Structures are given as C-alpha cells and as structure tokens.
Amino acid sequence: MKSIFHNNPVKKIKIKYQHQSDTQKFINSYFEKRRIKADCVDSEFNRGKNQRVYSKTFMVKVPQSMSCAQIIEEISLYRNIIEIRRIKK
C-alpha cells in the first residue's frame, strides 16, 4: 500500500516563542538531534506590553519513525514555547 499511496512527509509547523537566542538554539538542536530537515519559510516579531514574541514557520521533513504530532508535543515542552501548531496547506 505504501507504494500506491505516498504519505507526504513534508509538513509546515509554526512556532511562537519568547527569549529568541535560547529558544532558537533549542529548536535548531532539536531538529538536528532527530535528523529532521527544517527550513524556515517565514519569521515574525511582535512586541507586547511586557514581552517580545517571535514566530517562525518551518517546512519540516518528518522522518518515518516520527509523527508531526510527536514533534509538536516534544517541542511544546520547552519552557519558552508559547504556541506551536501544524499549518494545513
């Protein structure tokens, strides 16, 4: 069945976070350790009253051994992540 139906392993994930330097290092390290190819396709910055919020959208190639939900769950555990979600095409 896999040869007939190809599961598109490329997904789009948007991550909102605080503390740019520390969090960006975590995100890059996470992708590298799990051998996930991730390309940033969009960046945003918003300044609130008491906080700065950064947002990056990545195109990620999800390995067969992982699901997109697993990636989202693991990244969401990091203390500076405000929001993470998959963007449907």
Side-chain angles (χ1 to χ4, degrees), residues 11-28 31 38-46 52-60 72 75 80-87:
K11 308 292 182 193
K12 191 182 276 190
I13 295 175
K14 184 171 186 173
I15 305 172
K16 288 185 181 182
Y17 57 92
Q18 295 178 307
H19 305 289
Q20 181 186 24
S21 181
D22 292 342
T23 309
Q24 191 60 50
K25 286 177 189 175
F26 164 77
I27 293 168
N28 291 337
F31 288 145
D39 294 315
C40 181
V41 294
D42 192 29
S43 295
E44 295 177 43
F45 168 75
N46 292 303
R52 294 178 178 164
V53 177
Y54 303 89
S55 178
K56 288 203 175 200
T57 302
F58 294 93
M59 292 296 292
V60 296
I72 290 171
I75 290 175
N80 296 328
I81 301 297
I82 296 170
E83 179 184 337
I84 180 170
R85 65 186 178 98
R86 179 174 169 217
I87 298 175

Side-chain angles (χ1 to χ4, degrees), residues 7-12 37 59-62 86 89:
N7 183 13
N8 185 358
V10 178
K11 308 292 182 193
K12 191 182 276 190
K37 182 170 175 18
M59 292 296 292
V60 296
K61 186 170 183 180
V62 180
R86 179 174 169 217
K89 293 183 181 183

